Amino acid sequence: MNQIAIEDFAKYLAHKNLLPASEFESVSSHHASADRSLRKLWETTELTANGFADEVAHFYGLKRLTLPQLVAATSLAARFSPRFLRDTAVFPFECPKGHFRLAVADPSDTAAVHAAEIVLGAAVAVEVASFEDIATVLGEQLGGEEMATTESGAAGARADDDIESLRDLASGAPVVRAVNDMLEKAMELRASDIHIEPFRNGLVVRMRVDGLLRAVAAPANALPQALISRIKILAGLNIAERRLPQDGAARLKVARSEIDIRVATMPSQHGESAVIRLLPRDRGLLELAKLGLLAKDEKTMRQLLALPHGLIIVTGPTGSGKTTTLATMLSLLNDPSRKILTVEDPVEYEIQGVNQSQVKPSIGLTFAAAMRAFVRQDPDVIMVGEVRDPETASIAIHAALTGHLVLTTLHTETAAAAVPRLLDLGVEGFLLKSTLRAVIAQRLVRILCDRCKKKRILNSADIAADPRYDMLGFRADDCVYEPVGCERCGGVGYRGRCGVFEMLELKDEVYELVRPDADGRAIDLAARRAGMTTMVEDAVAKCRAGITSAAEVLRVTTVR
């Protein structure tokens, strides 16, 4: 170890005010430790790994290498002991013309350079890379080589080494920082999901913001396999299993906020893909006014929640806001006089005073199993996350029949379609007629950005040119608002979402149509004759009020 060179470098850093005076005195002292190294010197500064490497390259007058250059180089790591490469933080590679190069983080370690020259049998040109970048590329290179050795014979021990190498790589500072930065970016954009997808040309990262996917820059200083492994470690998944899908969860602190994440991985042609669902723990107050219900529908919902028993269903596709609506309904019902039990997959909103459970099919805790246990817990209100099989449907119906208020969700296109769907799941018509109180169908539309939305008075030419306006019932001289885009909304013209609803109550003519041969279309027409506001009508009213646009209405609803 060249101690004099390190002392000179320390003086150089101190002169640039990059090294604390106390540390400089320690390095310069006659009693300085014999094992003093540039790595320990870096740890005493506040420089990033790349910033420190820049200073090293400048001081020693050597070429500076970046991580992409290291990854693209022709590796010679197979000729060396993995332990030697890791301990000395060097990465040997070959240039196109056959010249040998050695990326080092510590040029003062001349012993490592001489050892590399002995192994390669020729002189090597020394170039500088950061400690973190060398650790990253070594983790990738050694992991791949050890796996190749596994396939050729030494299966057990080498596979273990590969897993450990991958674990070390995923725990390295560049990868940890890349994942943290990605999560912070998602929180900044108010994203609900992060999609990490490997393709032939590289990694693609997209974030779902207000219901639509938006491409963002992929981490430049982290290899795809390491990034996925880091995410799997956070979610408690098996990083050695790359052939089967896996699901996991974690609770993290991101940008001074606590969030829950749900991770789902899937093997694909070019590696593993992952989807991260972000569930912020602090979601603000659950207020009925924030859902976006019309005054008439809000009054109806309050009346329904005042019922002592019965079944209330919320329908819509995945991502339509059903869970938020149910959580808001529970918050209205939540008082010390009621015992409320829920079984969900997953628990997205934690509500103080409500007993919430999460399904765990691996141990037999399904929706149906939880519902059977619930009826023995003396509840007043039961919420089951989803009715997805005949057994759960039957138990929910019988719970509603025996004096409980049951809230649940169902995947159907319209409110009226919930009736034939439940009949299809084996629910008897007379039981459904006795228990079902209402079905609420919903979608989410994006809200126009208040800062940049543009008001427009339609004329006959506008309506003739754009059939969307005619489909939604707009006429000449009607006022609409359109998206523009600004810095606040990220240039898309929308910021946030609200619900559009239709609320079908089982009464009068609709009640009589609930029978074994029930027809969804007939129920829908009867409900509309009775005064039900359809989702399209609700959405158009919000469009006229300047909350959303005509294009957004047609994107999420079906005119019928």
Side-chain angles (χ1 to χ4, degrees):
M1 190 75 67
N2 188 341
Q3 185 66 28
I4 297 176
I6 291 178
E7 291 177 7
D8 290 342
F9 182 59
K11 186 184 297 184
Y12 163 80
L13 292 178
H15 180 71
K16 296 185 70 174
N17 295 320
L18 298 174
L19 183 69
S22 59
E23 182 58 31
F24 173 65
E25 291 172 1
S26 173
V27 173
S28 303
S29 170
H30 175 72
H31 301 290
S33 173
D35 68 349
R36 172 67 64 182
S37 69
L38 247 61
R39 182 188 292 273
K40 292 184 178 179
L41 189 61
W42 166 45
E43 292 171 354
T44 65
T45 73
E46 294 185 356
L47 290 169
T48 64
N50 284 329
F52 187 80
D54 291 340
E55 298 298 339
V56 171
H58 183 267
F59 177 77
Y60 286 94
L62 298 174
K63 181 181 177 182
R64 172 77 164 89
L65 296 174
T66 63
L67 179 60
Q69 290 173 313
L70 294 177
V71 172
T74 303
S75 172
L76 298 174
R79 299 194 190 184
F80 293 79
S81 159
R83 182 173 180 179
F84 166 77
L85 296 176
R86 288 199 180 97
D87 289 350
T88 57
V90 300
F91 174 66
F93 60 97
E94 187 175 9
C95 290
K97 294 183 180 180
H99 301 299
F100 296 138
R101 296 282 188 271
L102 190 69
V104 302
D106 184 354
S108 69
D109 189 357
T110 54
V113 178
H114 292 327
E117 290 177 334
I118 291 171
V119 172
L120 296 174
V124 298
V126 176
E127 299 173 354
V128 173
S130 74
F131 285 104
E132 290 184 351
D133 288 351
I134 290 177
T136 298
V137 74
L138 285 179
E140 178 69 13
Q141 291 293 330
L142 298 179
E145 290 162 13
E146 287 168 11
M147 181 56 76
T149 307
T150 298
E151 292 171 356
S152 64
R158 291 299 187 185
D160 290 342
D161 286 346
D162 178 59
I163 294 168
E164 287 307 311
S165 297
L166 192 58
R167 191 182 303 278
D168 291 343
L169 178 62
S171 301
V175 177
V176 171
R177 188 178 296 116
V179 172
N180 289 344
D181 289 346
M182 186 168 60
L183 291 172
E184 287 183 8
K185 179 69 173 177
M187 293 289 286
E188 178 187 334
L189 292 175
R190 301 169 296 104
S192 60
D193 303 87
I194 305 173
H195 294 245
I196 304 166
E197 304 157 319
F199 293 102
R200 181 184 297 276
N201 297 327
L203 196 69
V204 172
V205 177
R206 297 185 291 172
M207 297 184 181
R208 190 175 295 280
V209 181
D210 292 336
L212 295 181
L213 286 171
R214 183 185 303 181
V216 299
N221 59 343
L223 298 168
Q225 187 179 0
L227 200 70
I228 296 294
S229 296
R230 173 63 183 169
I231 292 166
K232 290 168 75 173
I233 288 172
L234 287 175
L237 303 180
N238 182 3
I239 64 171
E241 179 55 77
R242 304 167 197 164
R243 303 164 300 169
L244 297 173
Q246 295 187 70
D247 296 305
R251 179 168 294 176
L252 308 174
K253 190 168 185 178
V254 178
R256 297 188 297 278
S257 298
E258 275 199 351
I259 64 169
D260 289 332
I261 64 169
R262 299 291 185 272
V263 176
T265 65
M266 172 67 71
S268 65
Q269 185 176 3
H270 299 289
E272 281 185 290
S273 66
V275 176
I276 306 172
R277 167 66 61 87
L278 305 177
L279 305 171
R281 293 173 57 75
D282 181 15
R283 294 192 169 198
L285 296 175
L286 292 166
E287 297 176 358
L288 202 56
K290 292 184 178 181
L291 293 181
L293 288 164
L294 295 175
K296 180 188 69 171
D297 290 340
E298 182 175 331
K299 180 180 177 181
T300 300
M301 181 177 283
R302 291 185 184 277
Q303 291 172 344
L304 291 170
L305 295 177
L307 295 173
H309 51 78
L311 177 64
I312 301 174
I313 299 174
V314 181
T315 74
T318 300
S320 61
K322 300 186 299 295
T323 301
T324 300
T325 298
L326 283 177
T328 303
M329 294 165 74
L330 288 178
S331 69
L332 291 175
L333 291 167
N334 187 21
D335 65 60
S337 67
R338 292 190 182 96
K339 179 162 184 174
I340 304 175
L341 301 176
T342 78
V343 55
E344 305 168 61
D345 184 22
V347 176
E348 294 191 22
Y349 289 90
E350 288 191 14
I351 306 172
Q352 184 67 31
V354 176
N355 296 277
Q356 297 173 270
S357 305
Q358 181 168 320
V359 297
K360 296 177 182 177
S362 60
I363 61 171
L365 182 57
T366 60
F367 283 122
M371 286 288 288
R372 280 195 297 270
F374 279 1
V375 295
R376 297 190 293 272
Q377 294 287 314
D378 188 30
D380 297 292
V381 180
I382 296 174
M383 192 272 272
V384 55
E386 181 185 346
V387 171
R388 58 176 64 159
D389 56 68
E391 187 179 11
T392 307
S394 176
I395 298 171
I397 289 291
H398 281 88
L401 196 63
T402 54
H404 305 91
L405 183 60
V406 180
L407 312 178
T408 189
T409 71
L410 200 62
H411 284 178
T412 59
E413 180 72 15
T414 63
V419 173
R421 173 61 179 151
L422 286 170
L423 293 170
D424 185 55
L425 286 172
V427 177
E428 296 286 350
F430 72 93
L431 290 177
L432 189 58
K433 183 179 287 190
S434 300
T435 56
L436 186 60
R437 299 291 178 260
V439 183
I440 303 165
Q442 70 176 83
R443 300 290 188 276
L444 291 175
V445 294
R446 291 182 294 170
I447 299 172
L448 287 165
C449 176
D450 284 336
R451 291 189 183 176
C452 64
K453 65 182 179 182
K454 182 178 68 175
K455 184 177 180 179
R456 180 180 177 189
I457 304 298
L458 297 176
N459 56 40
S460 55
D462 293 327
I463 295 172
D466 192 339
R468 295 178 299 187
Y469 293 124
D470 185 55
M471 290 174 65
L472 296 175
F474 285 98
R475 296 292 178 261
D477 297 327
D478 282 348
C479 172
V480 295
Y481 292 80
E482 296 178 342
V484 176
C486 65
E487 183 179 353
R488 179 175 180 267
C489 61
V492 297
Y494 299 92
R495 183 178 173 85
R497 291 187 292 176
C498 73
V500 292
F501 301 86
E502 62 185 32
M503 196 169 295
L504 183 151
E505 290 186 87
L506 256 73
K507 58 183 183 180
D508 304 329
E509 186 182 354
V510 174
Y511 178 82
E512 298 302 327
L513 290 173
V514 178
R515 50 180 182 253
D517 61 344
D519 176 56
R521 177 66 175 168
I523 292 173
D524 183 63
L525 291 173
R528 291 163 73 177
R529 285 194 296 269
M532 181 184 78
T533 302
T534 67
M535 277 188 290
V536 174
E537 291 168 346
D538 187 9
V540 169
K542 289 180 170 66
C543 185
R544 293 180 184 276
I547 296 173
T548 191
S549 66
E552 186 67 7
V553 171
L554 288 173
R555 185 181 70 85
V556 301
T557 63
T558 302
V559 178
R560 63 182 194 272

